[in-house]
């Protein structure tokens, strides 16, 4: 039993290590991404995944209240938002952002609890999606690309 657990842990570590490598070839076309998560490990992981991508401005926040104060000034192209924050949950933060914004900001909700996916519907927003933790490089990058793509009329 311990052997299987150790092998699984080593496989997960290798997967994460490989997901951080060779990400310099992706170009985000001058996107501004705001990440809000109270877990420093998740923020570090996202930073490692995205830091070498071209044309990307990445703003990381551990506190949702500080993020909300900076939201309008930053005018992000996409928000990566944890579902379970310290004082407010992700959907509540998204609703506040919606009330502040004059434009629809795509949101990628993240959580280790896959049952939270059902909770991401924000009234009137077409561009929301969900990724489960731990985040994978290819999945995160492709999701950012997809959610930032123009909406077909």
């Amino acid at each position: 039993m311990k052997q299987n657990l150790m092998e699984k842990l080593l496989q997960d570590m290798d997967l994460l290590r490989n997901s951080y490598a060779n990400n310099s070839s992706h170009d985000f076309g001058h996107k501004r991404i705001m990440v809000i998560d109270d877990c420093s490990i998740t923020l570090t992981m996202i930073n490692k995944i995205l830091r070498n991508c071209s044309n990307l401005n990445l703003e990381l926040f551990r506190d949702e209240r500080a993020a909300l104060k900076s939201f309008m000034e930053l005018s992000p192209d996409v928000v990566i938002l944890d579902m379970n924050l310290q004082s407010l949950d992700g959907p509540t933060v998204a609703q506040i952002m919606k009330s502040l914004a004059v434009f629809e900001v795509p949101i990628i909700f993240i959580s280790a609890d896959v049952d939270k996916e059902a909770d991401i519907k924000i009234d009137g927003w077409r561009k929301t999606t969900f990724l489960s933790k731990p985040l994978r490089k290819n999945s995160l990058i492709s999701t950012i690309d997809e959610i930032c793509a123009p909406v077909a009329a």
Side-chain angles (χ1 to χ4, degrees), residues 52-87:
N52 293 325
C53 294
S54 301
N55 296 314
L56 176 68
N57 181 8
L58 190 61
E59 298 289 337
L60 306 172
F61 293 88
R62 284 192 67 199
D63 177 65
E64 62 273 21
R65 293 183 191 279
L68 286 169
K69 287 179 184 175
S70 299
F71 175 71
M72 289 304 291
E73 180 182 328
L74 292 174
S75 187
D77 294 299
V78 66
V79 174
I80 300 172
L81 179 58
D82 186 29
M83 292 289 289
N84 302 306
L85 299 164
Q86 290 292 329
S87 58

Coordinates of all heavy atoms in Angstrom, one line a residue, residues 52-87:
N52 N 6.9 32.1 -18.5 CA 7.8 32.2 -19.6 C 7.0 32.4 -20.9 O 7.6 32.4 -22.0 CB 8.7 31.0 -19.7 CG 9.7 31.0 -18.6 OD1 10.2 32.0 -18.2 ND2 10.1 29.8 -18.1
C53 N 5.7 32.4 -20.8 CA 4.9 32.6 -22.0 C 5.1 34.1 -22.5 O 5.3 35.0 -21.7 CB 3.4 32.4 -21.8 SG 3.1 30.6 -21.4
S54 N 5.0 34.3 -23.8 CA 5.2 35.6 -24.4 C 3.9 36.5 -24.3 O 2.8 36.0 -24.3 CB 5.5 35.5 -25.9 OG 6.7 34.7 -26.0
N55 N 4.1 37.8 -24.2 CA 3.0 38.8 -24.2 C 2.0 38.5 -23.2 O 0.8 38.4 -23.5 CB 2.4 38.8 -25.6 CG 3.5 39.3 -26.6 OD1 4.2 40.3 -26.4 ND2 3.6 38.6 -27.8
L56 N 2.4 38.4 -22.0 CA 1.4 38.1 -20.9 C 1.8 38.9 -19.7 O 2.9 39.0 -19.3 CB 1.6 36.6 -20.5 CG 0.7 36.1 -19.3 CD1 -0.8 36.2 -19.7 CD2 1.1 34.7 -19.0
N57 N 0.8 39.6 -19.1 CA 0.9 40.3 -17.9 C 0.1 39.5 -16.8 O -1.1 39.4 -16.9 CB 0.4 41.7 -18.0 CG 0.5 42.5 -16.8 OD1 1.1 42.1 -15.8 ND2 -0.1 43.7 -16.8
L58 N 0.8 39.0 -15.9 CA 0.2 38.1 -14.9 C 0.2 38.8 -13.5 O 1.2 39.3 -13.0 CB 1.0 36.8 -14.8 CG 0.5 35.7 -14.0 CD1 -0.8 35.2 -14.5 CD2 1.5 34.5 -14.0
E59 N -1.0 39.0 -12.9 CA -1.2 39.6 -11.6 C -1.7 38.6 -10.7 O -2.8 38.0 -10.9 CB -2.1 40.8 -11.7 CG -1.6 41.9 -12.6 CD -0.5 42.7 -12.1 OE1 -0.3 42.7 -10.8 OE2 0.3 43.3 -12.9
L60 N -1.0 38.3 -9.6 CA -1.3 37.3 -8.6 C -1.8 37.9 -7.3 O -1.2 38.9 -6.8 CB -0.1 36.4 -8.3 CG 0.6 35.8 -9.5 CD1 1.8 35.1 -9.1 CD2 -0.4 34.8 -10.2
F61 N -2.9 37.4 -6.8 CA -3.5 37.9 -5.6 C -3.9 36.7 -4.6 O -4.6 35.8 -5.0 CB -4.8 38.7 -5.8 CG -4.6 40.0 -6.6 CD1 -4.6 40.0 -8.0 CD2 -4.4 41.1 -5.9 CE1 -4.4 41.2 -8.7 CE2 -4.2 42.3 -6.6 CZ -4.2 42.3 -8.0
R62 N -3.5 36.8 -3.4 CA -3.8 35.9 -2.3 C -5.1 36.3 -1.6 O -5.8 35.5 -1.0 CB -2.7 35.7 -1.3 CG -1.6 34.8 -1.9 CD -0.7 34.4 -0.8 NE -1.4 33.5 0.1 CZ -0.9 33.2 1.3 NH1 0.1 33.8 1.8 NH2 -1.6 32.4 2.1
D63 N -5.4 37.6 -1.7 CA -6.6 38.2 -1.0 C -7.6 38.7 -2.0 O -7.3 39.5 -2.8 CB -6.1 39.3 -0.1 CG -7.2 40.0 0.6 OD1 -7.8 39.3 1.5 OD2 -7.5 41.2 0.3
E64 N -8.8 38.2 -1.9 CA -9.8 38.5 -2.9 C -10.3 40.0 -2.7 O -10.6 40.7 -3.7 CB -11.1 37.6 -2.7 CG -11.8 37.6 -1.4 CD -11.2 36.7 -0.4 OE1 -10.1 36.2 -0.5 OE2 -12.0 36.4 0.5
R65 N -10.1 40.6 -1.5 CA -10.5 42.0 -1.4 C -9.5 42.9 -2.1 O -9.9 43.9 -2.7 CB -10.7 42.3 0.1 CG -11.8 41.6 0.7 CD -12.1 41.9 2.2 NE -13.0 41.0 2.8 CZ -14.3 41.1 2.7 NH1 -14.8 42.0 2.0 NH2 -15.1 40.2 3.3
A66 N -8.2 42.6 -2.0 CA -7.2 43.3 -2.7 C -7.4 43.2 -4.2 O -7.2 44.2 -4.9 CB -5.8 42.9 -2.2
A67 N -7.7 42.0 -4.6 CA -8.0 41.8 -6.1 C -9.2 42.6 -6.5 O -9.1 43.2 -7.6 CB -8.2 40.3 -6.3
L68 N -10.2 42.7 -5.8 CA -11.4 43.5 -6.2 C -11.0 45.0 -6.2 O -11.5 45.7 -7.1 CB -12.6 43.2 -5.2 CG -13.2 41.9 -5.3 CD1 -14.2 41.6 -4.2 CD2 -14.0 41.8 -6.7
K69 N -10.2 45.4 -5.3 CA -9.8 46.8 -5.3 C -9.0 47.1 -6.6 O -9.1 48.3 -7.1 CB -9.0 47.2 -4.1 CG -9.8 47.3 -2.8 CD -9.0 47.6 -1.6 CE -9.8 47.5 -0.4 NZ -9.0 47.7 0.8
S70 N -8.2 46.2 -7.1 CA -7.4 46.4 -8.3 C -8.1 46.0 -9.6 O -7.5 46.3 -10.6 CB -6.1 45.5 -8.1 OG -5.4 45.9 -7.0
F71 N -9.2 45.4 -9.5 CA -9.9 44.9 -10.7 C -10.1 45.9 -11.8 O -9.7 45.6 -13.0 CB -11.2 44.2 -10.3 CG -12.0 43.7 -11.5 CD1 -11.6 42.6 -12.2 CD2 -13.2 44.4 -11.8 CE1 -12.4 42.1 -13.2 CE2 -13.9 43.9 -12.9 CZ -13.5 42.8 -13.6
M72 N -10.7 47.0 -11.5 CA -11.0 48.0 -12.6 C -9.7 48.6 -13.2 O -9.6 48.8 -14.4 CB -11.9 49.1 -12.1 CG -13.3 48.6 -11.8 SD -14.1 47.8 -13.3 CE -14.3 49.2 -14.3
E73 N -8.7 48.9 -12.3 CA -7.5 49.4 -12.8 C -6.7 48.5 -13.7 O -6.1 48.9 -14.7 CB -6.6 49.8 -11.5 CG -5.3 50.4 -11.9 CD -4.4 50.7 -10.7 OE1 -5.0 51.0 -9.6 OE2 -3.2 50.6 -10.8
L74 N -6.7 47.2 -13.3 CA -6.0 46.2 -14.1 C -6.7 45.9 -15.4 O -6.1 45.5 -16.4 CB -5.8 44.9 -13.3 CG -4.8 45.0 -12.1 CD1 -4.8 43.7 -11.3 CD2 -3.4 45.4 -12.6
S75 N -8.0 45.9 -15.4 CA -8.8 45.6 -16.6 C -8.3 44.3 -17.2 O -7.9 44.3 -18.4 CB -8.7 46.8 -17.6 OG -9.6 46.6 -18.6
P76 N -8.4 43.2 -16.5 CA -7.9 41.9 -17.0 C -8.7 41.4 -18.2 O -9.9 41.7 -18.4 CB -8.0 41.0 -15.8 CG -9.1 41.5 -15.0 CD -9.1 43.0 -15.2
D77 N -8.0 40.6 -19.0 CA -8.6 39.9 -20.2 C -9.2 38.6 -19.7 O -10.2 38.1 -20.4 CB -7.6 39.7 -21.3 CG -7.1 40.9 -21.9 OD1 -7.9 41.7 -22.4 OD2 -5.9 41.2 -21.8
V78 N -8.7 38.1 -18.6 CA -9.3 36.8 -18.1 C -8.9 36.8 -16.6 O -7.9 37.3 -16.2 CB -8.8 35.6 -18.8 CG1 -7.3 35.4 -18.6 CG2 -9.5 34.3 -18.4
V79 N -9.8 36.2 -15.8 CA -9.6 36.0 -14.4 C -9.6 34.5 -14.1 O -10.5 33.8 -14.5 CB -10.7 36.7 -13.5 CG1 -10.5 36.4 -12.0 CG2 -10.7 38.2 -13.8
I80 N -8.5 34.1 -13.4 CA -8.5 32.7 -12.9 C -8.8 32.8 -11.4 O -8.1 33.5 -10.6 CB -7.1 32.1 -13.1 CG1 -6.8 32.0 -14.6 CG2 -7.0 30.7 -12.5 CD1 -5.3 31.6 -14.9
L81 N -9.9 32.2 -11.0 CA -10.5 32.4 -9.7 C -10.8 31.1 -8.9 O -11.5 30.3 -9.4 CB -11.8 33.2 -9.9 CG -12.7 33.6 -8.7 CD1 -11.9 34.5 -7.7 CD2 -13.9 34.4 -9.2
D82 N -10.2 31.0 -7.7 CA -10.5 29.9 -6.9 C -11.9 29.9 -6.3 O -12.5 31.0 -6.1 CB -9.5 29.9 -5.7 CG -9.6 28.7 -4.8 OD1 -9.9 27.6 -5.3 OD2 -9.3 28.8 -3.6
M83 N -12.5 28.8 -6.2 CA -13.9 28.7 -5.8 C -14.0 28.9 -4.3 O -15.0 29.4 -3.8 CB -14.5 27.3 -6.1 CG -14.7 27.1 -7.6 SD -16.0 28.1 -8.3 CE -17.4 27.3 -7.5
N84 N -13.0 28.6 -3.5 CA -13.0 28.6 -2.0 C -11.9 29.6 -1.5 O -10.8 29.2 -1.4 CB -12.8 27.2 -1.5 CG -13.8 26.2 -2.0 OD1 -15.0 26.4 -1.8 ND2 -13.3 25.1 -2.5
L85 N -12.3 30.8 -1.3 CA -11.4 31.8 -0.8 C -11.6 32.0 0.7 O -12.6 31.5 1.3 CB -11.6 33.1 -1.6 CG -11.3 33.0 -3.1 CD1 -11.8 34.1 -3.8 CD2 -9.8 32.8 -3.3
Q86 N -10.8 32.9 1.3 CA -10.9 33.1 2.8 C -12.3 33.7 3.2 O -12.9 33.1 4.1 CB -9.8 34.1 3.2 CG -8.4 33.4 3.2 CD -8.2 32.3 4.2 OE1 -8.8 32.4 5.3 NE2 -7.5 31.3 3.8
S87 N -12.6 34.9 2.7 CA -13.8 35.5 3.2 C -15.0 35.5 2.3 O -16.2 35.6 2.7 CB -13.5 37.0 3.6 OG -13.0 37.7 2.5

